Amino acid sequence: MHTIREALNLILQHSRYPGTAIIPLEHTLYRVLAEDILADRDYPPFNRSAMDGYALRSGDLKDSNSLKLVYELRAGDHFEPRLQPGECIGITTGAPVPADADTVVRVEDAASAGSRVTFSVAPVRGGQNIAFRGEDIRAQDVLLLKGTSITAPRQAALAMTGHTGVAVSRLPSVAIYSTGNEVQPVRKNGPPHHIRDSNSYALRGLLQSYAIHTPVHDPVPDDPAALKRAFRKGMQADILIISGGVSRGAADYVPGVLEALDIQPLFHRVRIKPGNPLWVGVTPAKNIVFALPGNPVAVQTAFKVFIEPFIRSCLGMPPLRPYYFPMNIPRRKRTAFDEYFPVVLHGVDKHTRVHPVAYNGSGDGIAAAHADGLALHPAGRETLEQQEEVAFYPWHHWF
Amino acid sequence: MHTIREALNLILQHSRYPGTAIIPLEHTLYRVLAEDILADRDYPPFNRSAMDGYALRSGDLKDSNSLKLVYELRAGDHFEPRLQPGECIGITTGAPVPADADTVVRVEDAASAGSRVTFSVAPVRGGQNIAFRGEDIRAQDVLLLKGTSITAPRQAALAMTGHTGVAVSRLPSVAIYSTGNEVQPVRKNGPPHHIRDSNSYALRGLLQSYAIHTPVHDPVPDDPAALKRAFRKGMQADILIISGGVSRGAADYVPGVLEALDIQPLFHRVRIKPGNPLWVGVTPAKNIVFALPGNPVAVQTAFKVFIEPFIRSCLGMPPLRPYYFPMNIPRRKRTAFDEYFPVVLHGVDKHTRVHPVAYNGSGDGIAAAHADGLALHPAGRETLEQQEEVAFYPWHHWF
């Protein structure tokens, strides 16, 4: 049986870049850059006043505390001539500092009367209150790397540099099927021994973090012919995700049906809890198929551990990295596998701690709903100590 | 001048619940529950087999290692009669364990021949491999509290409990206006002393974390009549957000224009860096107006510190809480204000550390684009020490 790392390596070998699309800037949030973004010019594009005040030559204030006011410059406008000795101009925040002026004195530190301005600060440091041309970034330098996901401040930087259309990675198509005779659509009130399909919603919601939108299909019963019909359709998608029917039970037809559809298995079973019976294969058209066990927390864990890294790889993103926080209480485990468990982040006296939620095992979707994400109890460790830093994966990643 | 806490208290007094809407389950991701969600029945709804195997009375295996196989039960079906002494049934994961059976033995630990099953494990613990009815949650207990934002696992829990329509908080309407003669629409290539509007995109993107979608308007020039026209329209929204024109410069018309529109100021200026000249007021219809300075990092900081908490309060959400991580390097500051600074999270040898990005002050939108979020250097502290835990605010909050 493979370790998580071995299984993930096999999976990632089959990631495939889905191509590039140019989309309007307005629609780019959470999308992934398909090209390096360069600065179109220096930023700031000019020596920019960082204050409302007066632009002047700092040396002029060594001998005198008063200068001749020759212009009132506002942001959006510019002052063409070089500033002459003994002169100053009024200037607003964001306006270009004229040539030969080397400093801006705040309006609070000056008083103007007619065409004279008297300054109450001396000496004045050259360069103060000026954001110099190119100090944030130089023209043609890389602003954002290919593979970067677009947060709001990155969208703002794309706007600033004039990108009305942005080249982003296309999104892989994804099909989701829940299986099982006991699994009913949410709209139906079945008998007491039936349950409603929640896995389709969990997977669909987790995919939305990557701006991937997929429809919800009705669950497929444990009937080889029905499963075959559904999967034949689903395997046209870049990624097919199935839940249920992959273990050793009498009604676990999924691996057999997939192999009958010429889907080559990469592996079956991984040293992970929950979600050990995971089956992954590749279609003749080189699309990938993830067949997950049916329990809700196993599905959500498999998404975070296997499917999300695969999607990031397809999109050209860097690998998913966890955040490390200390455990609030110790935790023991009995299996020899890597164990993921649902946790909340507690604020404890200005520290953030990982705290396990009450949890009855992989069928306990209620625990997952109460949790902020998953933490990892690594294979080799019987006990996680209080205060030990552990890897935390939020359900919805930041970037 | 107010502290951040004082200013925020004044702001939050004007938060107003925008009402409730019932929306389809499929559209609920990142929305906020407007009512407590109760469990519609016990979960698990029946004593559920957690394994593929045989359901039996554990006491029967004390005297014998073989039992009579009376039925093969699959998930989605049920076995009506009570299990009699000496009997067992085959059972699949997810199927209801029959009355008087108290344990499930894994298929791997048994061998069947005709109507007899022989078990290779003994003794057998009562209760093993069964998820008991109601152990995750009891019927009518609260599953999710009002004010909870809907993550993917929560959407799955809503599906599981049959919520095809969900009562969520309506979203406040938001209008955004950038101002300044130097500020041009992204589509225009202006002269060198002009800049493109990035603040509208930053604000719009940050609002999308809360599923709030707003259009981008063209920037408004520093002309009192034009500003008045724009703000008169914008103040119809629940929340009007303006950037630029709020300081002491000759072209800073915004506060005057807002007051001429009968917008009552709550305060002007806060002890914060960046973004000190923040102006906040309330319209006669009790809508709120945030007038922010024009520099990009000041705008993004004001959103995280003032606007996002206001929106969460309107939606009935708990306050925004930072995450605490240790500093990777020390940091000094010179002002007496609370200072927010852009940072990345570094993974350092299985620890997560906050690392400041190179930053030239509030005009440096490039630094914000490189950052994962903001960290806080509190007012009273001249130096943040290496390894000291600091408050971190990701640009896009997790939940």
Side-chain angles (χ1 to χ4, degrees):
Chain A
M1 208 181 331
H2 288 305
T3 63
I4 292 176
R5 179 179 297 270
E6 290 162 356
L8 197 53
N9 282 343
L10 287 171
I11 289 171
L12 293 180
Q13 284 169 21
H14 294 272
S15 84
R16 199 173 49 185
Y17 187 66
T20 296
I22 311 277
I23 64 171
L25 175 62
E26 287 76 8
H27 299 158
T28 52
L29 196 73
Y30 306 137
R31 297 295 295 266
V32 177
L33 288 171
E35 60 180 11
D36 292 345
I37 298 289
L38 308 184
D40 62 318
R41 55 177 179 172
D42 291 342
Y43 286 91
F46 44 81
N47 291 343
R48 183 183 62 210
S49 178
M51 289 284 172
D52 299 311
Y54 296 91
L56 49 85
R57 303 155 68 105
S58 57
D60 286 1
L61 287 192
K62 286 200 179 107
D63 307 319
S64 160
N65 68 346
S66 149
L67 296 172
K68 184 181 177 195
L69 179 68
V70 297
Y71 196 73
E72 289 279 0
L73 177 65
R74 296 187 177 186
D77 212 339
H78 67 126
F79 179 74
E80 194 102 31
R82 309 184 86 82
L83 198 67
Q84 301 301 315
E87 293 180 354
C88 69
I89 66 163
I91 194 165
T92 65
T93 306
V97 174
D100 290 351
D102 68 349
T103 200
V104 171
V105 175
R106 299 186 306 165
V107 67
E108 294 91 327
D109 298 329
S112 72
S115 66
R116 299 297 300 178
V117 183
T118 308
F119 295 90
S120 54
V121 283
V124 165
R125 225 169 10 101
Q128 76 176 12
N129 297 327
I130 298 176
F132 284 96
R133 176 175 174 164
E135 73 176 15
D136 300 344
I137 194 169
R138 294 268 178 200
Q140 299 309 311
D141 279 357
V142 175
L143 169 61
L144 294 170
L145 283 168
K146 177 177 169 171
T148 300
S149 60
I150 302 175
T151 58
R154 288 175 188 150
Q155 210 174 29
L158 291 165
M160 186 174 71
T161 52
H163 291 82
T164 51
V166 182
V168 297
S169 300
R170 277 184 198 281
L171 301 173
S173 56
V174 184
I176 299 170
Y177 286 97
S178 293
T179 74
N181 285 344
E182 77 279 28
V183 185
Q184 299 296 318
V186 176
R187 62 179 182 278
K188 286 203 181 153
N189 280 313
H193 50 282
H194 284 181
I195 57 169
R196 299 188 193 89
D197 175 25
S198 63
N199 289 335
S200 295
Y201 291 88
L203 291 166
R204 194 175 163 279
L206 290 166
L207 287 164
Q208 268 184 257
S209 294
Y210 292 88
I212 298 172
H213 294 265
T214 50
V216 171
H217 296 116
D218 275 358
V220 187
D222 294 317
D223 163 34
L227 293 168
K228 200 166 183 177
R229 271 196 306 277
F231 299 163
R232 184 172 277 143
K233 201 171 145 201
M235 69 194 270
Q236 309 304 316
D238 294 317
I239 302 170
L240 169 59
I241 310 175
I242 299 158
S243 66
V246 289
S247 194
R248 302 181 200 261
D252 286 339
Y253 302 123
V254 169
V257 168
L258 291 172
E259 290 179 38
L261 286 165
D262 286 331
I263 297 170
Q264 287 291 324
L266 290 182
F267 59 81
H268 191 184
R269 299 194 178 272
V270 185
R271 298 179 63 80
I272 184 175
K273 184 179 175 187
N276 160 278
L278 175 70
W279 186 104
V280 178
V282 178
T283 75
K286 306 291 177 204
N287 298 329
I288 199 160
V289 180
F290 293 94
L292 323 177
N295 272 330
V297 188
V299 165
Q300 293 162 27
T301 303
F303 182 89
K304 295 300 293 180
V305 178
F306 299 105
I307 302 177
E308 186 169 3
F310 181 81
I311 288 172
R312 291 175 72 98
S313 174
C314 290
L315 295 175
M317 299 176 75
L320 187 66
R321 285 193 323 190
Y323 307 101
Y324 290 87
F325 292 107
M327 288 286 283
N328 201 34
I329 54 171
R331 181 182 193 270
R332 302 197 57 155
K333 76 176 171 74
R334 285 182 299 172
T335 73
F337 292 173
D338 283 309
E339 272 189 32
Y340 288 84
F341 55 102
V343 299
V344 289
L345 294 182
H346 266 331
V348 181
D349 189 24
K350 301 218 166 185
H351 304 288
T352 304
R353 297 290 177 260
V354 156
H355 195 91
V357 300
Y359 176 48
N360 295 314
S362 67
D364 188 359
I366 309 292
H370 287 151
D372 296 330
L374 295 172
L376 170 61
H377 193 149
R381 303 290 312 283
E382 190 180 319
T383 304
L384 294 176
E385 309 293 344
Q386 188 177 15
Q387 298 292 345
E388 178 173 349
E389 284 187 71
V390 293
F392 167 75
Y393 297 81
W395 292 128
H396 296 277
H397 212 72
W398 284 329
F399 27 79
Chain B
M1 207 182 331
H2 288 304
T3 64
I4 291 176
R5 178 178 296 270
E6 290 163 355
L8 197 53
N9 282 343
L10 286 170
I11 289 170
L12 292 180
Q13 284 168 22
H14 293 273
S15 83
R16 201 173 48 185
Y17 187 65
T20 296
I22 310 277
I23 64 171
L25 175 61
E26 287 76 7
H27 298 157
T28 52
L29 196 73
Y30 306 136
R31 298 295 296 268
V32 177
L33 288 172
E35 59 181 10
D36 292 344
I37 299 289
L38 308 185
D40 61 319
R41 54 177 179 170
D42 291 342
Y43 285 90
F46 44 80
N47 291 343
R48 185 183 61 209
S49 176
M51 289 286 172
D52 298 312
Y54 298 91
L56 50 86
R57 303 156 68 107
S58 57
D60 287 0
L61 287 191
K62 284 198 180 110
D63 307 320
S64 161
N65 68 346
S66 150
L67 296 173
K68 184 181 177 196
L69 179 67
V70 297
Y71 195 75
E72 289 278 1
L73 176 66
R74 295 187 176 186
D77 213 338
H78 67 125
F79 178 73
E80 193 102 28
R82 309 184 87 81
L83 198 67
Q84 299 304 315
E87 294 180 352
C88 70
I89 66 164
I91 195 165
T92 65
T93 307
V97 174
D100 291 352
D102 69 348
T103 199
V104 170
V105 174
R106 297 187 308 165
V107 68
E108 293 92 327
D109 297 330
S112 71
S115 67
R116 297 300 296 181
V117 183
T118 305
F119 295 91
S120 54
V121 284
V124 165
R125 224 168 12 100
Q128 77 177 10
N129 297 328
I130 298 176
F132 285 96
R133 175 175 175 163
E135 74 176 16
D136 299 346
I137 194 169
R138 295 265 178 201
Q140 302 308 310
D141 279 358
V142 176
L143 168 63
L144 294 170
L145 284 168
K146 179 177 169 172
T148 300
S149 60
I150 301 176
T151 58
R154 287 174 189 150
Q155 211 173 28
L158 291 166
M160 187 175 70
T161 52
H163 290 82
T164 50
V166 182
V168 297
S169 299
R170 277 182 197 281
L171 300 172
S173 56
V174 183
I176 299 170
Y177 286 96
S178 292
T179 74
N181 285 345
E182 78 279 27
V183 184
Q184 297 296 319
V186 176
R187 66 179 180 277
K188 287 201 182 157
N189 280 313
H193 51 281
H194 284 180
I195 58 169
R196 299 187 193 91
D197 175 24
S198 64
N199 289 335
S200 295
Y201 292 88
L203 291 166
R204 194 175 161 280
L206 291 166
L207 287 163
Q208 268 183 257
S209 295
Y210 292 89
I212 298 172
H213 295 264
T214 50
V216 171
H217 295 116
D218 275 359
V220 187
D222 294 317
D223 163 34
L227 293 168
K228 199 166 183 176
R229 271 196 306 278
F231 299 164
R232 183 173 280 142
K233 199 171 146 201
M235 67 194 271
Q236 309 302 316
D238 295 317
I239 303 170
L240 169 59
I241 310 175
I242 299 158
S243 65
V246 291
S247 195
R248 301 178 201 264
D252 287 337
Y253 301 124
V254 169
V257 169
L258 291 171
E259 290 179 38
L261 286 165
D262 286 331
I263 296 170
Q264 287 292 323
L266 290 182
F267 60 82
H268 192 183
R269 300 193 176 273
V270 184
R271 298 178 63 79
I272 185 175
K273 183 181 178 183
N276 161 280
L278 175 71
W279 186 104
V280 178
V282 177
T283 75
K286 306 292 178 202
N287 297 330
I288 198 161
V289 179
F290 294 93
L292 322 178
N295 272 330
V297 189
V299 164
Q300 294 162 26
T301 303
F303 182 89
K304 295 300 293 180
V305 178
F306 299 106
I307 301 177
E308 186 169 5
F310 181 80
I311 288 172
R312 291 175 72 97
S313 173
C314 289
L315 294 176
M317 298 176 75
L320 187 67
R321 285 191 323 190
Y323 307 102
Y324 290 87
F325 291 106
M327 287 287 283
N328 201 33
I329 54 170
R331 180 181 194 271
R332 302 197 55 153
K333 75 176 173 73
R334 285 182 300 172
T335 74
F337 291 173
D338 282 310
E339 271 190 33
Y340 289 85
F341 56 103
V343 299
V344 289
L345 293 183
H346 267 331
V348 182
D349 188 25
K350 300 220 166 185
H351 303 288
T352 305
R353 298 289 178 260
V354 156
H355 195 91
V357 300
Y359 176 50
N360 295 313
S362 66
D364 187 359
I366 308 292
H370 287 150
D372 296 328
L374 295 172
L376 171 61
H377 193 149
R381 304 290 312 282
E382 189 180 319
T383 304
L384 294 176
E385 309 294 347
Q386 188 177 15
Q387 297 294 343
E388 179 173 349
E389 284 187 71
V390 293
F392 167 74
Y393 297 81
W395 291 126
H396 295 277
H397 212 71
W398 283 331
F399 28 80

